[in-house]
Amino acid sequence: MSRIAIPATIEAAPIASQQMLTAVKQQLGVAPNLFRLMAVSPQSLEGHLGLFGALGKGKLSVQTRNRIALAVAEINGCDYCLSAHTYLGHNLAKLDDAEMQANRDGKSNDPKADIAVRFAAKVARERGSVDASDVEMVKTAGYDDAEIIEIILHVALNTWTNYLNKVAGTEIDFPVVTARKAA
């Protein structure tokens, strides 16, 4: 049971959140618990959707964005986000099980994506304290400065949802995946 009351329906959410939740439902076919939880604070939901939408128009592929989400969720021990991004990895990003297992280990089976995921994992584990050589490694792999900034922002965005779900104890409404270790 969630420690913060989650509106049971879109109609039970604050009026200022209802239109945003309806848009989420149109996109995903459902308004997941995470989004209904955020809806308790319309400004938080609006901020999340705005940042998520902006990053969706960025340079990183949906596959790499999902890979980063899985790596960060595993590092932070967030079962909700692991469950959601495993489901989305299969159904939206079209990643296979072996790839998603690698992502949870902070790497990728795709050589270029591997560098991005390893960098994202290090940013998450070290709370941003990376070396110049880490940034140079990402650049050498072909990522430009804009993509590096996007990788970092994906770490931050996923950390926010990880922390929110862990604090709230959000009930998982996806096929359940459990973190191997809690941070």
Side-chain angles (χ1 to χ4, degrees):
M1 176 132 204
S2 180
R3 295 178 200 128
I4 298 173
I6 296 174
T9 63
I10 292 173
E11 297 75 23
I15 291 171
S17 294
Q18 291 179 10
Q19 185 176 8
M20 292 179 282
L21 286 174
T22 298
V24 168
K25 183 176 181 180
Q26 287 173 340
Q27 203 169 34
L28 300 177
V30 65
N33 287 341
L34 170 62
F35 292 98
R36 287 185 286 109
L37 170 62
M38 284 183 201
V40 171
S41 166
Q43 296 76 16
S44 295
L45 179 60
E46 181 180 6
H48 177 80
L49 292 175
L51 185 53
F52 185 80
L55 286 172
K57 295 182 234 174
K59 292 182 158 196
L60 298 177
S61 69
V62 67
Q63 292 80 14
T64 297
R65 296 190 313 260
N66 201 82
R67 290 172 172 122
I68 292 168
L70 285 166
V72 173
E74 185 69 44
I75 288 164
N76 289 327
C78 182
D79 295 345
Y80 187 96
C81 291
L82 277 173
S83 301
H85 286 284
T86 298
Y87 177 84
L88 294 170
H90 277 297
N91 295 293
L92 178 66
K94 305 299 184 197
L95 300 173
D96 62 30
D97 289 335
E99 177 62 18
M100 288 191 285
Q101 284 302 314
N103 303 154
R104 290 179 63 184
D105 291 335
K107 52 191 175 185
S108 173
N109 296 323
D110 175 272
K112 184 173 181 185
D114 184 56
I115 301 299
V117 176
R118 285 178 187 274
F119 178 70
K122 185 164 188 183
V123 168
R125 279 192 308 275
E126 302 300 324
R127 297 179 298 187
S129 295
V130 299
D131 298 322
S133 63
D134 297 313
V135 175
E136 190 55 41
M137 176 185 67
V138 180
K139 288 182 177 186
T140 300
Y143 291 95
D144 64 23
D145 289 343
E147 290 167 309
I148 293 169
I149 291 169
E150 288 178 28
I151 291 167
I152 297 163
L153 200 47
H154 278 287
V155 171
L157 181 63
N158 284 286
T159 298
W160 135 249
T161 59
N162 295 170
Y163 286 8
L164 178 60
N165 285 311
K166 289 184 73 164
V167 168
T170 310
E171 183 179 336
I172 300 171
D173 49 354
F174 294 93
V176 176
V177 177
T178 304
R180 293 185 290 260
K181 59 184 184 291

